[in-house]
Amino acid sequence: MRFKTVIGLEIHVQLSTETKAFCSCTANVFEIPANTAVCPVCTGQPGALPVVNAEMVDYAIKLALALNCKVNEYSRFDRKNYFYPDLPKGYQISQYFYPLAVGGHLDIDVDGTTKRVRIRRLHLEEDAGKLMHEGDSITQARYSLVDMNRCGVPLVEIVTEPDLSSPREARIFTEKLRSILRYLKISSGDMEKGALRCDANISIVDLDRNVSSNRVEVKNMNSFKFIEKALEYEEQRIKEALVRGENVEKETRGWDLSTKTTVSMRGKEEESDYRYFPEPDIPPIVVSKERIEKLKLSLPELPDQKKQRFAREYGLPEYDASVLTADESIANFFEACVRLSGKPKETSNWIMTEMLREMKEFESGELKIKPEHIAELIRLVDRGEISIKTAKEIFPEMFRTGKMPIQIVEERGLKQLSDEHAIVEIARKVLEENPHVVSQYKSGKTNVISFFVGQVMKQTKGTANPKLVNDVLRRLLEG
Amino acid sequence: MFQKMTIEDCLEVERQDLVKESLKEIERVDKVLKSFITVLDEERIEIDEGPFKGIPIAIKDNIVTKDVRTTCASKILENYVPPYDATVVRKLKKAGFAIVGKTNLDEFAMGSSTERSAFFVTRNPWDLSCVPGGSSGGSAAAVASGEVVAALGSDTGGSVRQPAAFCGIVGFKPTYGLVSRYGLVAFASSLDQIGPMTKSVKDAAILMQIIHGRDPLDSTTVDVKMDFLSHIEQGIEGFRFAVPVEVYEYEGLDKEVAERFEECIKLIEKLGGKVERVKIPTLKYAVATYYVIAPAEASSNLARYDGVKYGLRVEKSGLKETYSVTRTMGFGEEVRRRIVLGTFTLSATYYEAYFNKAQKVRRLLANDLSSVFDQFDAILTPTSPIPAFKIGSITDPLAYYLMDVFTTFANLAGVPALSVPFGFAQGLPVGVQVVGKRFEDPKVLRIGRSIEKFSPYNENGRIPLPVVRV
């Protein structure tokens, strides 16, 4: 059987505005004591009213523009009504009938080819609070507590068209989106902290019979890795059902980390009627053309534009340009290095291999490594003062301590020995001490030269310039 | 005599004893009248420096007061103590007014008689066997009886004007967006508006002067500064008035109420006004439209009373059961009726047929009124088709809703509307309603003042007030 996977995403992004969506509480509520960033508005006290945070609207418009959406001149808030303890008003203020923006697209790189993913809509809404269950699970809990700090934190919901055709594409799309969010400085984009949340709708088309499976919604995928894993699992599950000649339930499933499977959360019959209607407490949002233009002008160079420029300006392969521009701070670091070193490709190599490897283990805070470090490292290698191997060896220390490479080289005595006289002297001594091997060489077993090279390197604690050692030894043996 | 004193009167006297007088009068009459849900002890009454320092005022108990219990006359909020003051409360306090207590209402302002309070029925000071109207019945009775000098009510479909008419005082519903709703416990957000209930039109203007204006905490307020007082005495010479023919077509109109209304029209003509009958075709749909939109919004606004954060919680084994039992026990029958009605009309299947259609009719009505106001300065109707009725005498919900026949259209269109006393029917007060164009609130009060000033039922332009015998 031939199958086609069809995936659409619904992504929620927490905006890093100073204050919440509809009140003046701080929106930076990650890991602060429970129920300390709250007020009458965000806890749904009787009589309290929402007031729209203008910064939130600007952030969302910027994102809409970066995703090539049409920003609607007129949009409106609506109420989405449902009961849950983390929703203090009994409704969520969202945009249903008239979203802020519609009809955009985002291009992603999939194995060297560009794929366009269409954006259906982008709208604003408020986040809900958090529940903490006292006990092993929600059903087993003796009681549950509500933390309302997150209530009213601004969210943007982005809905794609079902244009993604593999779990990997879903992951790449979400990573690309995070990159844009960070470039725009409108969200941390941290999936682990819940600043970026991804739900997916997946169905599989049986191309032979031209029928589609039911659509399954997958939730709780709280890392990029789990997006891919959960959807791979789900893809397989649906395919197997189709192979058996069955279909899957139209339902919502959640990724279960402990079993690495998806489990049913609720079926179709449990779908709620949210009774959407226009939010009477908030007048419509009217966005003027001038405001859109102003925000458009304020947009930074975005990943795709930067990537193209890097390839063009620095002559980098597309892959390098793409890796370097995924994160704006890396891109800026690269450019600063190149300004000092004048060598784009070498700089790119060092950043893409050694530096990004170190970055993976780097927790947070300010980097100790500066562009000067990389530039000096390149210069030392270039001048033959240290070998590439040595340079790689000292990289971790340089990255972690911020010591200049020359200092580490000197401290560890790693400076490459390129003094020909010194090498000749050591080589002579080695030959004198091993007359047997010398005669072996002379009888034609020239590969024993590697034994002598090893001995010289040993004597110099590996600092001798290997090429020079080879040349000197050959000369002495042949001469 | 304290009971008859207006705000204006208070400004002429030493004011340090007014709060005491008010509390004394409440002590004397409120055990029978039952206007108040909460009366503050004298030491708890804050009195700020301000031009109206020490003038006792009452606040309807659906307007939040910091650290003072605000119940909405509902079991579900019986012990709710708000952490903040409503914007209007803050403004009144700043002006020096002394808030002495919180007045009774139909639960969550859903009703026209104050019989639907979860706690007790308030009585009409003119006849203790009658209702004071509603939902701001407690405020109306407290002002008419002279327990306080003035009060605030809230008006979603007539809840300031109808009880004002029933108790023979002045009640004003401002243009939607003129007075902040921040701190008014929402019933139907697109219709709710806080308004003054007073013993004179001038007092209503004084309170409006203080409470109106843009509030950064309520984005539906409008940035206008109005002068309510300068032109209030200038009369109505040359003003044009429209009387909807629908008033005469309404079968439930009480004969004596109709007579007073006719007399009022005559008076207006005598004062130089021109009165014409007009047809406002969409007017007859106002009540039906109102009873789709208001319950729909209410069903959403009242969702927050779930027993999780504050108010009544009836602990049951599971979440759904806790919700369901809490809300069933916490809300009275009328509130539950409207929640169910609103939930139904907002459901995906019926949204188009009911809620959306009602929204369309609402727009048509607003357009109709707008063209009336292109030609007329104001619309005149009786405030209520009937005077106050006996407690417990109207039990059919539809008959009950039809009392709003002349009031809801002002809320649907967001226009200002005033009820001013004009004589009596069966010995009970009758109110005449003056409805104006959006943001012509001062003009509406000016018209009201002319009626008040020259009404043959008033003495020296002062409305007659009842004396409550205990």
Side-chain angles (χ1 to χ4, degrees):
Chain A
M1 281 185 185
R2 294 175 306 132
F3 295 114
K4 188 177 144 215
T5 301
V6 179
I7 300 172
L9 300 178
E10 283 176 28
I11 298 175
H12 287 88
V13 176
Q14 259 184 5
L15 297 178
S16 52
T17 48
E18 199 174 317
T19 57
K20 290 186 181 180
F22 303 113
C23 63
S24 53
C25 291
T26 177
N28 187 5
V29 298
F30 188 69
E31 278 175 356
I32 63 169
N35 296 313
T36 53
V38 294
C39 74
V41 176
C42 57
T43 57
Q45 298 295 312
L49 296 171
V51 176
V52 175
N53 175 351
E55 189 184 31
M56 160 181 82
V57 180
D58 280 349
Y59 277 24
I61 293 173
K62 281 188 188 181
L63 181 56
L65 293 171
L67 296 176
N68 310 293
C69 293
K70 175 181 171 288
V71 177
N72 287 323
E73 227 170 299
Y74 173 97
S75 73
R76 205 176 65 188
F77 285 101
D78 302 294
R79 290 188 185 174
K80 178 180 181 177
N81 295 284
Y82 65 96
F83 286 94
Y84 208 61
D86 66 6
L87 192 69
K89 297 189 293 297
Y91 56 85
Q92 179 195 33
I93 303 178
S94 180
Q95 294 190 295
Y96 179 73
F97 296 102
Y98 298 94
L100 183 73
V102 291
H105 61 84
L106 177 61
D107 292 338
I108 56 171
D109 296 327
V110 185
D111 303 324
T113 56
T114 301
K115 169 153 191 169
R116 175 155 293 188
V117 181
R118 290 168 300 156
I119 312 283
R120 183 181 297 168
R121 55 185 276 149
L122 181 153
H123 72 250
L124 283 161
E125 58 187 34
E126 58 177 339
D127 211 342
K130 270 186 176 160
L131 295 185
M132 275 153 282
H133 305 292
E134 187 58 40
D136 293 338
S137 69
I138 181 163
T139 44
Q140 242 95 94
R142 280 191 302 127
Y143 60 86
S144 301
L145 298 172
V146 193
D147 176 3
M148 298 200 180
N149 284 340
R150 211 178 63 180
C151 292
V153 167
L155 295 178
V156 163
E157 181 175 333
I158 300 151
V159 182
T160 75
E161 295 292 346
D163 289 349
L164 297 152
S165 40
S166 73
R168 199 160 146 260
E169 286 182 14
R171 175 191 178 143
I172 293 170
F173 178 89
T174 317
E175 284 174 340
K176 179 81 176 272
L177 179 67
R178 178 181 63 174
S179 167
I180 289 173
L181 294 171
R182 291 183 171 172
Y183 265 69
L184 294 172
K185 297 184 173 62
I186 59 171
S187 172
S188 74
D190 283 329
M191 284 201 85
E192 290 75 11
K193 292 178 183 171
L196 183 63
R197 286 167 242 161
C198 180
D199 300 337
N201 285 302
I202 177 169
S203 57
I204 312 275
V205 181
D206 177 341
L207 293 169
D208 293 330
R209 292 185 298 150
N210 198 25
V211 289
S212 173
S213 75
N214 276 329
R215 202 175 65 195
V216 176
E217 186 178 9
V218 188
K219 288 178 174 283
N220 282 351
M221 306 181 289
N222 53 2
S223 80
F224 295 107
K225 200 170 84 190
F226 296 149
I227 292 176
E228 196 167 346
K229 290 262 177 257
L231 291 175
E232 276 171 359
Y233 177 87
E234 200 51 34
E235 189 179 40
Q236 196 55 34
R237 194 183 70 87
I238 301 173
K239 277 182 187 169
E240 281 167 15
L242 292 178
V243 168
R244 286 195 304 271
E246 295 168 8
N247 201 340
V248 289
E249 290 289 315
K250 182 181 186 300
E251 62 177 351
T252 301
R253 298 175 71 85
W255 171 246
D256 184 344
L257 188 52
S258 56
T259 59
K260 305 257 190 304
T261 60
T262 63
V263 291
S264 181
M265 290 169 81
R266 60 171 184 266
K268 189 186 172 191
E269 68 280 4
E270 287 163 80
E271 263 178 31
S272 317
D273 179 346
Y274 291 119
R275 308 190 312 278
Y276 286 100
F277 76 102
E279 166 58 277
D281 289 329
I282 304 175
I285 309 177
V286 178
V287 186
S288 67
K289 289 200 175 66
E290 293 71 35
R291 185 171 174 190
I292 295 173
E293 278 312 308
K294 211 172 132 204
L295 289 166
K296 207 178 257 173
L297 288 174
S298 79
L299 291 183
E301 184 184 37
L302 291 165
D304 280 349
Q305 299 160 328
K306 209 184 270 292
K307 180 182 124 188
Q308 282 159 20
R309 181 169 65 79
F310 274 26
R312 191 177 66 236
E313 211 166 283
Y314 301 116
L316 294 176
E318 190 163 328
Y319 177 72
D320 286 33
S322 163
V323 172
L324 289 172
T325 53
D327 182 320
E328 194 185 19
S329 59
I330 296 293
N332 291 342
F333 189 90
F334 167 81
E335 293 205 275
C337 289
V338 174
R339 272 197 293 278
L340 295 169
S341 72
K343 295 194 181 299
K345 182 56 188 160
E346 281 86 340
T347 303
S348 164
N349 289 348
W350 282 110
I351 292 177
M352 286 181 43
T353 54
E354 305 306 314
M355 180 153 155
L356 290 182
R357 181 186 309 135
E358 292 295 326
M359 294 279 288
K360 276 193 186 130
E361 279 154 49
F362 182 70
E363 293 294 326
S364 62
E366 202 189 334
L367 284 176
K368 292 228 166 68
I369 193 168
K370 302 280 177 253
E372 288 75 13
H373 292 89
I374 304 271
E376 186 176 300
L377 200 66
I378 291 172
R379 200 174 60 236
L380 290 175
V381 173
D382 247 26
R383 289 196 195 150
E385 288 183 38
I386 58 171
S387 63
I388 295 254
K389 190 162 158 280
T390 302
K392 284 186 178 169
E393 245 171 64
I394 65 163
F395 200 98
E397 188 179 343
M398 184 176 86
F399 182 90
R400 284 165 211 176
T401 64
K403 281 185 191 165
M404 288 306 282
I406 190 73
Q407 193 190 345
I408 303 171
V409 165
E410 274 164 10
E411 276 172 14
R412 295 213 219 156
L414 292 173
K415 191 153 184 192
Q416 186 158 281
L417 191 56
S418 298
D419 178 344
E420 198 171 332
H421 290 295
I423 291 176
V424 168
E425 214 157 286
I426 295 164
R428 279 218 173 99
K429 222 172 116 217
V430 167
L431 296 180
E432 273 165 26
E433 282 165 6
N434 298 284
H436 288 303
V437 193
V438 173
S439 39
Q440 275 179 356
Y441 183 90
K442 298 215 160 157
S443 67
K445 288 178 101 179
T446 51
N447 59 347
V448 296
I449 193 161
S450 60
F451 167 78
F452 295 118
V453 173
Q455 290 298 308
V456 174
M457 293 309 279
K458 199 173 159 193
Q459 302 261 332
T460 60
K461 294 191 180 81
T463 61
N465 182 331
K467 189 173 172 298
L468 198 55
V469 171
N470 235 304
D471 291 351
V472 166
L473 280 168
R474 227 171 265 281
R475 215 163 58 222
L476 291 176
L477 286 164
E478 314 255 313
Chain B
M1 193 186 181
F2 171 75
Q3 292 96 309
K4 310 265 179 195
M5 281 174 82
T6 62
I7 295 172
E8 264 194 293
D9 296 336
C10 293
L11 294 175
E12 306 295 314
V13 300
E14 286 294 322
R15 275 178 261 156
Q16 65 265 36
D17 292 330
L18 291 179
V19 167
K20 272 194 178 63
E21 296 246 28
S22 169
L23 291 174
K24 213 171 75 194
E25 188 60 14
I26 293 170
E27 177 72 28
R28 187 179 75 85
V29 301
D30 213 54
K31 44 188 179 297
V32 287
L33 203 59
K34 293 186 165 298
S35 309
F36 286 90
I37 292 173
T38 303
V39 180
L40 272 71
D41 294 333
E42 196 181 344
E43 56 273 20
R44 282 195 70 198
I45 297 171
E46 300 167 38
I47 303 176
D48 290 355
E49 289 302 323
F52 301 91
K53 187 179 173 187
I55 299 179
I57 195 165
I59 305 288
K60 188 179 182 180
D61 208 24
N62 63 347
I63 299 172
V64 303
T65 39
K66 187 169 194 259
D67 302 331
V68 175
R69 179 173 87 117
T70 299
T71 68
C72 292
S74 179
K75 285 213 171 77
I76 213 152
L77 285 179
E78 189 162 6
N79 297 306
Y80 176 67
V81 179
Y84 72 107
D85 269 334
T87 297
V88 288
V89 168
R90 195 174 46 74
K91 286 181 168 179
L92 288 179
K93 280 184 180 172
K94 197 169 159 247
F97 283 100
I99 294 167
V100 297
K102 306 294 294 288
T103 56
N104 200 18
L105 61 149
D106 292 293
E107 185 177 359
F108 282 102
M110 296 179 187
S112 317
S113 66
T114 317
E115 292 166 293
R116 280 155 172 69
S117 163
F119 306 134
F120 45 76
V121 180
T122 298
R123 290 164 188 280
N124 191 311
W126 289 92
D127 178 344
L128 297 175
S129 69
C130 286
V131 301
S135 63
S136 313
S139 285
V143 172
S145 68
E147 290 177 310
V148 288
V149 177
L152 288 187
S154 71
D155 191 314
T156 306
S159 281
V160 159
R161 291 159 284 158
Q162 187 257 24
F166 276 22
C167 292
I169 60 166
V170 174
F172 181 56
K173 183 207 86 77
T175 293
Y176 185 83
L178 198 57
V179 176
S180 169
R181 290 182 297 118
Y182 190 74
L184 168 63
V185 180
F187 160 15
S189 315
S190 74
L191 302 162
D192 295 341
Q193 196 66 184
I194 291 170
M197 304 179 78
T198 55
K199 295 173 204 171
S200 75
V201 176
K202 188 106 178 265
D203 275 11
I206 289 170
L207 288 182
M208 280 308 296
Q209 199 64 48
I210 296 164
I211 64 175
H212 89 282
R214 159 123 182 99
D215 180 5
L217 298 175
D218 175 359
S219 25
T220 62
T221 54
V222 181
D223 195 6
V224 284
K225 233 14 202 158
M226 279 182 189
D227 179 355
F228 287 89
L229 290 156
S230 298
H231 307 287
I232 197 160
E233 300 288 351
Q234 289 183 352
I236 55 169
E237 174 93 56
F239 279 16
R240 290 155 305 165
F241 293 85
V243 176
V245 294
E246 288 77 10
V247 169
Y248 302 100
E249 288 164 4
Y250 183 67
E251 286 170 12
L253 185 62
D254 178 270
K255 193 169 149 282
E256 285 184 61
V257 170
E259 283 166 19
R260 293 299 89 73
F261 184 59
E262 284 312 308
E263 289 167 19
C264 185
I265 289 172
K266 293 276 161 359
L267 172 66
I268 283 169
E269 285 172 334
K270 207 176 90 188
L271 295 174
K274 291 189 183 61
V275 184
E276 268 178 55
R277 288 192 186 193
V278 295
K279 192 151 180 60
I280 307 175
T282 44
L283 203 57
K284 61 176 172 291
Y285 303 115
V287 172
T289 305
Y290 174 84
Y291 278 97
V292 172
I293 290 171
E297 292 186 12
S299 72
S300 173
N301 283 329
L302 271 60
R304 64 186 64 192
Y305 310 108
D306 57 4
V308 173
K309 307 161 291 284
Y310 44 71
L312 179 74
R313 159 146 76 191
V314 186
E315 199 88 43
K316 288 284 159 185
S317 61
L319 179 65
K320 276 185 186 168
E321 211 191 334
T322 299
Y323 277 156
S324 150
V325 177
T326 297
R327 288 168 62 81
T328 306
M329 294 183 62
F331 292 133
E333 192 191 356
E334 181 61 25
V335 173
R336 278 182 277 137
R337 189 196 331 275
R338 297 200 196 190
I339 289 173
V340 171
L341 192 61
T343 304
F344 174 81
T345 56
L346 283 180
S347 66
T349 321
Y350 297 102
Y351 184 85
E352 278 302 320
Y354 291 100
F355 187 77
N356 219 21
K357 189 177 280 179
Q359 293 281 57
K360 286 176 188 161
V361 177
R362 182 178 184 176
R363 271 194 295 277
L364 291 177
L365 174 64
N367 292 344
D368 271 5
L369 286 182
S370 169
S371 37
V372 170
F373 289 123
D374 285 344
Q375 296 171 57
F376 296 93
D377 294 288
I379 294 171
L380 297 172
T381 75
T383 305
S384 165
I386 52 169
F389 52 89
K390 296 282 183 200
I391 291 166
S393 65
I394 299 184
T395 49
D396 172 45
L398 276 182
Y400 194 83
Y401 296 166
L402 279 173
M403 273 187 295
D404 303 335
V405 64
F406 301 136
T407 46
T408 58
F409 78 92
N411 303 78
L412 289 167
V415 295
L418 173 78
S419 178
V420 59
F422 198 90
F424 299 85
Q426 294 105 56
L428 291 160
V430 170
V432 167
Q433 180 176 238
V434 183
V435 182
K437 193 177 176 172
R438 268 174 74 74
F439 299 110
E440 291 194 347
D441 304 55
K443 190 196 271 182
V444 171
L445 290 171
R446 174 174 164 184
I447 294 164
R449 173 61 189 143
S450 283
I451 296 170
E452 176 188 66
K453 199 171 182 175
F454 298 103
S455 163
Y457 298 97
N458 297 350
E459 233 176 273
N460 300 323
R462 292 181 75 107
I463 57 175
L465 290 163
V467 178
V468 181
R469 292 186 212 289
V470 185

